[in-house]
Amino acid sequence: MELSQLKMFKAVAQTGSIVKASERLHCVPSNITTRLKQLEDELGTQLFIRHGRGLVISPDGITFLSYVDQILGLCDEACHALGPTASPTGTLKIGAIESFATARLPKLLADYHDRYPSVDIEFSTGTWQMLIKAVSDLQLDGAIIAVKPDQPDINFLEIYQEALVVVAHASLGRVGCAHDLRHQQIFMWPVGCPYRAALTHWLSLHQVEVQITSIASYATILACVSAGAGITLLPKAVYEQFSGIGNLQCYCFNDLLPIHSYFIWNHRIRHHPARQAWIDLLKASTNHGR
C-alpha cells in the first residue's frame, strides 16, 4: 500500500470517475485502474462498484475512505511540521553551565515558553566539557558554555560577554587590588572552570599566589563568602542574583577581562525549528542586552 494509491482511491471516491480522477492527478486512467486493482487485491475487498459509466464507492470503500482521510491528513501535517516555515513543536533539549543557568536562563525560558508553548523544553546543567560531548553525541540539541569550541561538528554563536567581579564579605575590608587576595581563602569551581582560569591568570599577572578551595556550586560558594569565610570571583550577572544575601560587596578591575559565552549546536542536524527559534531568541536577547 502506497500513498499514491491512497490519493488515487480518494480522487476516484470524490469524483466517481477514473477519467476525472486522472485529470485531477495528472496521470493516465489506465495507471489508476491498475493501481486500484492492486489495492483491492491487497485489501481483499471491493472498493468500488460499477454503476453505468461511473463508479460508486462500496460499503467497505466508505470505511476505508475514513482511514485514508486520516492517513493523508497526517502526511500533510507531517510535511508542514518539517517544512521551512514550520512553527516550532516537539522537544528542545538544552544544556548550560550553572552560571548561565543561574543568572540568565530563567527569563529566556519564560520568554521562549510564551512564544512557543507547543515546544517541550528539557533542560540540564553540566561542565562545559560534558555539554560539548553531549551536543557532539546528539544527546542535546544545544548548550551554553563559556569556552569557544573547536570541534569540527560543532557550530557556535557568541551571545554574551560576562563581566567578572571579585566578591567578598564586607567584614574582610575593601578589595582594592589583586594583592588584597593574599592570605585570603578563595572559593572557586574546580579546575577546568573558565572563571577560575580567569582568576588565576589575573592573579599571576600581579604575581599573587592564593589557596583555592574547589566547590562545584555557586550557592555553596556564596554561602561561604557571605559567612565571611573567604572571597570568590563570579560573573557579574550571577552576583546580581545573589547580592541580597549576607553583606556582600563586589569589586571590578579593568584588567580582569570579561568571559565570552557561546551557544553551541551540532551542524549535522540542519533542520530544527525549535532550536532555530531558541537561537533567534538568544540573538534578540543579546542585542537587547548590549
Side-chain angles (χ1 to χ4, degrees), residues 79-89 116 271 273:
C79 291
H80 176 72
L82 298 177
T85 60
S87 298
T89 58
Y116 310 105
H271 183 73

Side-chain angles (χ1 to χ4, degrees), residues 16 49-56:
I49 301 170
R50 289 200 169 273
H51 181 72
R53 301 182 63 180
L55 294 175
V56 176

Side-chain angles (χ1 to χ4, degrees), residues 95-200:
I97 55 175
E98 185 173 333
S99 60
F100 194 94
T102 300
R104 300 189 183 273
L105 196 70
K107 186 178 185 307
L108 285 169
L109 289 177
D111 289 347
Y112 189 90
H113 180 71
D114 286 343
R115 298 184 189 191
Y116 310 105
S118 297
V119 178
D120 294 322
I121 296 181
E122 296 180 2
F123 176 73
S124 59
T125 59
T127 65
W128 64 268
Q129 298 97 328
M130 293 166 55
L131 295 171
I132 288 178
K133 185 177 187 307
V135 171
S136 182
D137 293 343
L138 303 179
Q139 296 172 353
L140 290 175
D141 297 317
I144 297 162
I145 61 176
V147 175
K148 188 174 182 178
D150 60 0
Q151 283 81 347
D153 58 343
I154 298 294
N155 285 350
F156 65 89
L157 169 72
E158 182 180 323
I159 48 178
Y160 292 102
Q161 291 187 27
E162 300 289 358
L164 303 178
V165 294
V166 173
V167 180
H169 193 272
S171 64
L172 297 181
R174 175 173 174 76
V175 179
C177 63
H179 291 276
D180 290 339
L181 272 67
R182 288 182 299 180
H183 312 302
Q184 296 288 349
Q185 182 66 48
I186 310 298
F187 300 102
M188 291 295 299
W189 271 66
V191 174
C193 169
Y195 305 121
R196 177 172 177 148
L199 175 64
T200 56

Side-chain angles (χ1 to χ4, degrees), residues 11-50:
V12 173
Q14 290 176 333
T15 63
S17 166
I18 288 179
V19 173
K20 291 180 180 179
S22 68
E23 293 172 353
R24 176 185 291 186
L25 298 175
H26 306 289
C27 61
V28 296
S30 60
N31 186 29
I32 294 181
T33 300
T34 300
R35 301 298 296 280
L36 286 182
K37 181 62 170 62
Q38 292 172 345
L39 183 59
E40 288 179 326
D41 289 344
E42 183 177 350
L43 294 172
T45 189
Q46 188 178 18
L47 297 175
F48 294 100
I49 301 170
R50 289 200 169 273

